[in-house]
Amino acid sequence: MRSIVVTGGAGFIGSNFVHWVVDNQPDVHVTVLDALTYAGNRENLAGIPDDRLTFVHGDICDEGLVDELFASTDACVHFAAESHNDNSIADPSPFLRTNVQGTYVLLEAARRHDVRFHHVSTDEVYGDLALDDPARFTEDTPYHPSSPYSSTKAASDMLVRAWVRTYGVRATISNCSNNYGPYQHVEKFIPRQITNVLSGRRPKLYGDGLNVRDWIHTEDHSSAVWAILERGKIGETYLIGADGEKNNIEVLEAILEAFGLGPDEFDWVKDRPGHDRRYAIDSAKLRAELGWRPSHDDFAAGLAETVEWYRQNEDWWKPAKEATEAKYEAQGQ
Ligand code: NAD
Ligand code: TDX
């Protein structure tokens, strides 16, 4: 594989993936296709040499542009999406357009040009598990999405499966759990709480704080996606997770501790409508078939590094902070 198109490569996980490829795959040229929505930031790709990266400012729904890019690439890794549940509850329409229509446009171009396609999806397509359920999601868990966001991701997964079966598109799918690390937008849970403290606000916890997420460092997501792109079986789905289940109170306490704050120094706020209770990934297939292992096995250390990154990069997050908090405040969150 010599050339790949990375959609959404200026977002959180996409840009971490691009850095990972540039650092670990010296013979691969990356073309990022990104619309630079509120969630995309060209700065996320700063420092990457021009001979390794071409940046294209454009929309995945633009058929002509996508066709042109797919005419000269070996593969596409598709990260571009509207990605935030709370936004999808306030206004689902951009989620339908980008996540469903955009994926359709990419699949049609992959079909025309026989491009190897990897679709990046989420564990949220499986719905949620009870706190006392010993089960975890596997590739065989039925789809049961709860939010407008996760239902559009589920729809896009279904399109990929249909294009593999009907048209023979060479595609794979991965469903990953919650990522953390640098370059994550301040609307998301961990960066929101870190930057609340850094900007003199109190952290905000939804509902009863007992909801569980299965945290994985974004670098481990990148190495897993690469393993699937290179060695995954066409038509298959792989779940990506690093055995990182924690409830939101535990994560928040670790953040408060990193700042030397007491465990009560936060506000309870209104719960998210339809709030999924627990996500948990069984990644046995990925580990057994592709030999993948996560390298970040110490959540406290990864979180401390992430806190430090936000401390050091105020210029990166400050411009988005006020507007994000104003939006939350209007929602009572
Ligand atoms: P993000 O919101 O940080 O980034 C999304 C990127 O896509 C941005 O750069 C944005 O500009 C771009 N984009 C949006 N609409 C576009 C369009 N129409 N055309 C071109 N570019 C467009 O998202 P993220 O958290 O990095 O998530 C990336 C992918 O990973 C998504 O598909 C998401 O569903 C999936 N995922 C995320 C997580 C997580 O924890 N964040 C977990 C599992 C899967
Ligand atoms: O201020 C907050 N307080 C709070 O308690 C925010 C922003 C969130 N929460 C809770 C809601 C969730 O239980 O924290 C948990 C994590 O919330 P988010 O960061 O919004 O993530 P989540 O809804 O779990 O979805 C994420 O993981 C799966 C990504 O945003 C998705 O793109 C991905 O598919």
Side-chain angles (χ1 to χ4, degrees):
M1 207 144 3
R2 302 301 295 252
S3 60
I4 59 173
V5 168
V6 177
T7 71
F12 162 47
I13 304 177
S15 65
N16 276 286
F17 177 76
V18 171
H19 283 285
W20 189 94
V21 172
V22 168
D23 293 345
N24 292 282
Q25 304 297 331
D27 299 327
V28 174
H29 185 85
V30 177
T31 299
V32 164
L33 171 59
D34 198 295
L36 297 179
T37 67
Y38 80 96
N41 189 341
R42 186 68 179 83
E43 281 304 300
N44 297 5
L45 300 167
I48 299 177
D50 287 348
D51 62 339
R52 302 295 312 281
L53 174 70
T54 304
F55 183 81
V56 179
H57 183 193
D59 195 316
I60 58 168
C61 297
D62 181 338
E63 287 177 28
L65 176 61
V66 167
D67 192 75
E68 202 181 299
L69 295 176
F70 276 40
S72 58
T73 189
D74 297 323
C76 171
V77 182
H78 174 35
F79 292 95
E82 286 293 334
S83 68
H84 192 39
N85 274 300
D86 292 320
N87 292 345
S88 82
I89 294 165
D91 179 11
S93 104
F95 290 74
L96 271 294
R97 182 180 179 277
T98 289
N99 300 359
V100 184
Q101 177 73 15
T103 301
Y104 159 73
V105 168
L106 295 168
L107 283 168
E108 282 292 83
R111 171 155 89 102
R112 277 194 298 276
H113 297 286
D114 190 26
V115 164
R116 168 79 175 87
F117 190 76
H118 180 70
H119 177 64
V120 176
S121 191
T122 170
D123 58 0
E124 299 193 19
V125 299
Y126 300 113
D128 62 353
L129 299 160
L131 294 182
D132 60 359
D133 186 344
R136 301 193 290 173
F137 299 138
T138 73
E139 288 77 5
D140 297 324
T141 304
Y143 273 42
H144 206 267
S146 316
S147 74
Y149 161 69
S150 54
S151 61
T152 59
K153 291 298 291 188
S156 66
D157 294 9
M158 293 303 163
L159 293 180
V160 177
R161 289 178 185 202
W163 262 243
V164 170
R165 175 154 172 169
T166 306
Y167 302 116
V169 167
R170 294 181 297 125
T172 42
I173 299 174
S174 55
N175 297 81
C176 187
S177 60
N178 285 59
N179 283 221
Y180 73 98
Y183 302 112
Q184 188 168 28
H185 195 276
V186 293
E187 67 191 356
K188 303 294 193 321
F189 179 57
I190 289 179
R192 184 183 185 203
Q193 314 316 333
I194 295 172
T195 57
N196 272 3
V197 176
L198 289 173
S199 61
R201 297 171 169 90
R202 282 163 70 86
K204 312 286 181 206
L205 209 45
Y206 294 174
D208 62 8
L210 294 176
N211 304 66
V212 169
R213 296 296 181 264
D214 190 350
W215 294 97
I216 181 172
H217 194 281
T218 184
E219 250 170 43
D220 287 328
H221 190 181
S222 295
S223 65
V225 166
W226 189 264
I228 298 165
L229 186 66
E230 260 196 345
R231 306 192 298 282
K233 203 170 148 212
I234 298 305
E236 292 286 310
T237 288
Y238 297 86
L239 263 54
I240 306 174
D243 301 332
E245 278 187 75
K246 302 228 171 317
N247 73 35
N248 294 339
I249 297 177
E250 292 172 309
V251 175
L252 183 56
E253 279 176 352
I255 294 170
L256 292 170
E257 208 179 305
F259 285 102
L261 294 169
D264 299 330
E265 296 196 54
F266 68 89
D267 296 330
W268 295 105
V269 294
K270 213 174 81 181
D271 205 358
R272 171 184 287 171
H275 196 177
D276 279 338
R277 201 54 168 159
R278 170 175 161 250
Y279 304 139
I281 289 268
D282 178 350
S283 59
K285 175 177 172 180
L286 176 66
R287 292 169 193 246
E289 292 185 14
L290 304 184
W292 174 83
R293 295 278 176 284
S295 59
H296 292 264
D297 52 7
D298 183 343
F299 179 74
L303 190 64
E305 270 172 34
T306 306
V307 168
E308 194 49 31
W309 189 86
Y310 283 89
R311 266 194 221 274
Q312 299 295 328
N313 289 280
E314 259 190 33
D315 291 351
W316 182 88
W317 59 262
K318 271 246 163 93
K321 185 66 183 167
E322 295 297 323
T324 303
E325 286 308 312
K327 203 149 84 176
Y328 275 127
E329 206 179 324
Q331 289 169 188
Q333 294 177 316

mmCIF file of all heavy atoms in Angstrom, residues 129-136 245 278 280:
data_model
loop_
_atom_site.group_PDB
_atom_site.id
_atom_site.type_symbol
_atom_site.label_atom_id
_atom_site.label_comp_id
_atom_site.label_asym_id
_atom_site.label_seq_id
_atom_site.Cartn_x
_atom_site.Cartn_y
_atom_site.Cartn_z
ATOM 1 N N LEU A 129 -25.259 -1.993 27.566
ATOM 2 C CA LEU A 129 -25.337 -3.158 28.456
ATOM 3 C C LEU A 129 -25.705 -2.660 29.848
ATOM 4 O O LEU A 129 -25.418 -1.509 30.195
ATOM 5 C CB LEU A 129 -23.967 -3.849 28.527
ATOM 6 C CG LEU A 129 -23.419 -4.403 27.203
ATOM 7 C CD1 LEU A 129 -21.909 -4.607 27.283
ATOM 8 C CD2 LEU A 129 -24.129 -5.719 26.852
ATOM 9 N N ALA A 130 -26.301 -3.564 30.652
ATOM 10 C CA ALA A 130 -26.591 -3.192 32.043
ATOM 11 C C ALA A 130 -25.292 -3.209 32.852
ATOM 12 O O ALA A 130 -24.331 -3.908 32.503
ATOM 13 C CB ALA A 130 -27.592 -4.186 32.636
ATOM 14 N N LEU A 131 -25.291 -2.434 33.942
ATOM 15 C CA LEU A 131 -24.076 -2.363 34.768
ATOM 16 C C LEU A 131 -23.714 -3.725 35.365
ATOM 17 O O LEU A 131 -22.539 -4.036 35.532
ATOM 18 C CB LEU A 131 -24.250 -1.344 35.897
ATOM 19 C CG LEU A 131 -24.401 0.118 35.470
ATOM 20 C CD1 LEU A 131 -24.525 1.025 36.687
ATOM 21 C CD2 LEU A 131 -23.235 0.568 34.592
ATOM 22 N N ASP A 132 -24.737 -4.529 35.672
ATOM 23 C CA ASP A 132 -24.453 -5.816 36.332
ATOM 24 C C ASP A 132 -24.389 -6.984 35.345
ATOM 25 O O ASP A 132 -24.384 -8.138 35.743
ATOM 26 C CB ASP A 132 -25.500 -6.096 37.414
ATOM 27 C CG ASP A 132 -26.915 -6.172 36.827
ATOM 28 O OD1 ASP A 132 -27.074 -5.991 35.595
ATOM 29 O OD2 ASP A 132 -27.858 -6.420 37.605
ATOM 30 N N ASP A 133 -24.357 -6.683 34.045
ATOM 31 C CA ASP A 133 -24.308 -7.742 33.025
ATOM 32 C C ASP A 133 -22.839 -8.113 32.790
ATOM 33 O O ASP A 133 -22.037 -7.247 32.445
ATOM 34 C CB ASP A 133 -24.946 -7.184 31.735
ATOM 35 C CG ASP A 133 -25.083 -8.225 30.649
ATOM 36 O OD1 ASP A 133 -24.437 -9.287 30.747
ATOM 37 O OD2 ASP A 133 -25.836 -7.974 29.683
ATOM 38 N N PRO A 134 -22.474 -9.384 32.953
ATOM 39 C CA PRO A 134 -21.072 -9.749 32.714
ATOM 40 C C PRO A 134 -20.691 -9.716 31.221
ATOM 41 O O PRO A 134 -19.511 -9.762 30.879
ATOM 42 C CB PRO A 134 -20.974 -11.184 33.260
ATOM 43 C CG PRO A 134 -22.373 -11.704 33.245
ATOM 44 C CD PRO A 134 -23.284 -10.518 33.420
ATOM 45 N N ALA A 135 -21.701 -9.595 30.330
ATOM 46 C CA ALA A 135 -21.431 -9.664 28.885
ATOM 47 C C ALA A 135 -20.663 -8.448 28.386
ATOM 48 O O ALA A 135 -20.697 -7.373 28.980
ATOM 49 C CB ALA A 135 -22.754 -9.776 28.126
ATOM 50 N N ARG A 136 -19.939 -8.653 27.276
ATOM 51 C CA ARG A 136 -19.327 -7.553 26.531
ATOM 52 C C ARG A 136 -19.775 -7.684 25.073
ATOM 53 O O ARG A 136 -20.233 -8.746 24.651
ATOM 54 C CB ARG A 136 -17.800 -7.636 26.624
ATOM 55 C CG ARG A 136 -17.315 -7.565 28.071
ATOM 56 C CD ARG A 136 -15.824 -7.325 28.170
ATOM 57 N NE ARG A 136 -15.024 -8.462 27.754
ATOM 58 C CZ ARG A 136 -13.697 -8.432 27.634
ATOM 59 N NH1 ARG A 136 -13.027 -7.300 27.870
ATOM 60 N NH2 ARG A 136 -13.025 -9.493 27.265
ATOM 61 N N GLU A 245 -12.701 -0.522 30.983
ATOM 62 C CA GLU A 245 -13.994 -0.084 31.540
ATOM 63 C C GLU A 245 -13.830 0.755 32.812
ATOM 64 O O GLU A 245 -13.153 0.324 33.755
ATOM 65 C CB GLU A 245 -14.849 -1.301 31.897
ATOM 66 C CG GLU A 245 -15.593 -1.902 30.731
ATOM 67 C CD GLU A 245 -16.555 -2.992 31.189
ATOM 68 O OE1 GLU A 245 -17.601 -2.653 31.756
ATOM 69 O OE2 GLU A 245 -16.225 -4.173 30.993
ATOM 70 N N ARG A 278 -23.882 1.394 29.608
ATOM 71 C CA ARG A 278 -22.519 0.826 29.664
ATOM 72 C C ARG A 278 -22.109 0.295 28.289
ATOM 73 O O ARG A 278 -22.917 -0.332 27.601
ATOM 74 C CB ARG A 278 -22.482 -0.320 30.684
ATOM 75 C CG ARG A 278 -21.225 -1.149 30.666
ATOM 76 C CD ARG A 278 -21.199 -2.200 31.777
ATOM 77 N NE ARG A 278 -20.225 -3.219 31.462
ATOM 78 C CZ ARG A 278 -20.522 -4.482 31.115
ATOM 79 N NH1 ARG A 278 -21.766 -4.900 31.084
ATOM 80 N NH2 ARG A 278 -19.560 -5.325 30.812
ATOM 81 N N ALA A 280 -18.905 -2.091 26.578
ATOM 82 C CA ALA A 280 -17.766 -2.952 26.916
ATOM 83 C C ALA A 280 -17.427 -3.814 25.709
ATOM 84 O O ALA A 280 -18.311 -4.430 25.115
ATOM 85 C CB ALA A 280 -18.114 -3.837 28.108
#
